[in-house]
Amino acid sequence: MRVEEPTRTRSVVALLSSVFCSSAALALLTTVLGKQVFDLTGSELSLGLLGLAEFAPAALLVFVTGTLADRIERRKLAAWGLAAQAVTIGGLAWYAGTKPTSTLPIFLLVIAFGTAGAFSTPATRAMPADTVRAERLPWLTARQSAAWQGASIVGPVAGGFLYVLNVRAPYVMGAGLVLVAAVLILMVQPYRPHVPVTRPPGGMREAVEGVRFVRSQPILLGAISLDLFAVLFGGAVALLPAIAETRLGVGAVGLGVLRAAVGIGAGSVTLFLTVRPVARRVGRVLLVTVAIFGLGTIVLGATTSFVVAFVALAALSGADSISVFIRSTLVPLVTPNEKRGRVLAVEAVFIGASNELGAFESGVVGQLLGPAVAIVLGGAATLAVAALWWSTFPALRNVDRFPAGVDRAGPEPDPARGSTGLANG
């Protein structure tokens, strides 16, 4: 049964509020952890290892977490995962106050944080498509992106100031925000309640269904892999603590402001998307914005000016917000609901690889060649990826409009016939 409009409105507010709280906590945590680990080690490689520690659990557990998101009520799974993340942040708060000299406990707690996130992420990412009608998903995605980008501004700035006042304070705030997010996600009443899969477990065949479905859909494969390789090479944000310290000469507050530039640029573009969302030439816009992301990364690596670095971060993050909006709308709409958890678990691994594994790659190259060279080379590689995907994935390039949505498993979508609302342009 479909819920009434007032309940649906409350559910949307609860979902967006949960996204804001959890995203602000993650942005705060990323800023503070990067600063603390770099202060302890002075090593760019250690910054990359932080990303690897967070990414590894999602990759190792992908076939388990996606299946659970299709078999368990998603809001409960998301809430339990968020609650477990709050516990690990509490552990980081305790350790930060002990005047640590070793990073090993930090990395172990980050692995635990990533493990909890591996279970909550597929469920959380599937919930917007469960909460509103398919034709309203672009509307909700734009507002979800706005909530996330707003959190990307608040989180780093708060983290930087709190870290200066008391090293434990940002972690305590982060744990509190994640707990609030867990409570809010339980308040969401889906428009079409998720009906958990009740057939007997299908073993590995069922678990890998998400991978098979992505491989069978050129549009999905192109969109998800584009994000993987573009951000994998262009993961400049991971090196911001080193850039702020060695090239720009700013401390924790300056680092927080640079982190906030990411949210300011992306947030400004996202607010525009809430008014004028991308509706035509979706595939071409996606590829062009990835190229702009690469150009902004090159400028960031080449400059020694704090102002230019701030502008470059705002520009590249604004371009990235458009690509995130397109992918976040496109992927669930071409995926049947009963496969959505497994497909989004696969996508989460790709995103994690692009962000966390990209941070590791940037850390390794930064350690070998210096952070500036690593960032410039990464931006150049992102440009090359955008050009390669333009020619390799014509199905993605020629997507004109978002599809109308897939409610249940059925025949493969055929963009040429317009059965999913995709048109060749």
Side-chain angles (χ1 to χ4, degrees), residues 246-313:
T246 62
R247 287 181 64 82
L248 303 179
V250 296
V253 174
L255 173 61
V257 172
L258 287 175
R259 289 276 188 184
V262 176
I264 291 171
S268 300
V269 173
T270 301
L271 287 176
F272 178 78
L273 290 173
T274 63
V275 180
R276 295 284 299 274
V278 178
R280 298 296 304 272
R281 300 187 181 277
V282 167
R284 286 175 168 82
V285 171
L286 174 63
L287 290 161
V288 168
T289 54
V290 169
I292 295 172
F293 177 86
L295 288 172
T297 302
I298 292 173
V299 173
L300 175 65
T303 188
T304 57
S305 166
F306 180 84
V307 173
V308 173
F310 184 95
V311 172
L313 280 167

Side-chain angles (χ1 to χ4, degrees), residues 9-33:
T9 300
R10 288 194 296 270
S11 294
V12 168
V13 171
L15 178 62
L16 294 179
S17 299
S18 179
V19 168
F20 178 85
C21 290
S22 61
S23 300
L26 181 59
L28 179 152
L29 188 65
T30 301
T31 301
V32 174
L33 278 175

